Amino acid sequence: MTGPGAVPRLRRGVKTAYDETRGSHVVLFPEGVLVLNETAAAVVALCDGRTSVDGIARKLTERFDGVEADDVAELVERLVARRVVDVDG
């Protein structure tokens, strides 16, 4: 599992966008498209290669209720498995 000190960043070739047709944020990557809810879109936006998983969770608690560092780490782990983000640390 991705730890709180891990620093995620989008992989090369991965882009984020807002899809007007779907009315939601998406991640575009060579193998497909992920449709994101608002919280997941906020996590992906913070996968900048500078902010740790713990830092992402702290920033999100300012915007959303009930954000847990473990949930952020789990989402990042799933994004790693889908080859959307890489993690340092």
Side-chain angles (χ1 to χ4, degrees):
M1 176 133 187
T2 302
V7 179
R9 69 183 181 291
L10 292 178
R11 289 178 63 107
R12 172 174 261 150
V14 174
K15 299 182 192 283
T16 60
Y18 185 80
D19 186 326
E20 294 290 337
T21 303
R22 290 183 175 102
S24 57
H25 295 275
V26 295
V27 174
L28 307 169
F29 59 107
E31 293 83 17
V33 176
L34 291 177
V35 179
L36 306 173
N37 64 30
E38 187 178 0
T39 309
V43 169
V44 169
L46 291 168
C47 290
D48 56 12
R50 296 183 307 270
T51 308
S52 68
V53 168
D54 195 44
I56 291 171
R58 279 195 309 272
K59 288 181 180 184
L60 292 182
T61 59
E62 298 169 6
R63 294 180 50 198
F64 302 99
D65 292 328
V67 173
E68 298 288 335
D70 289 342
D71 294 337
V72 173
E74 183 181 324
L75 174 58
V76 170
E77 189 68 29
R78 288 191 313 235
L79 293 170
V80 168
R82 294 292 302 265
R83 301 177 50 91
V84 171
V85 300
D86 285 326
V87 177
D88 295 328

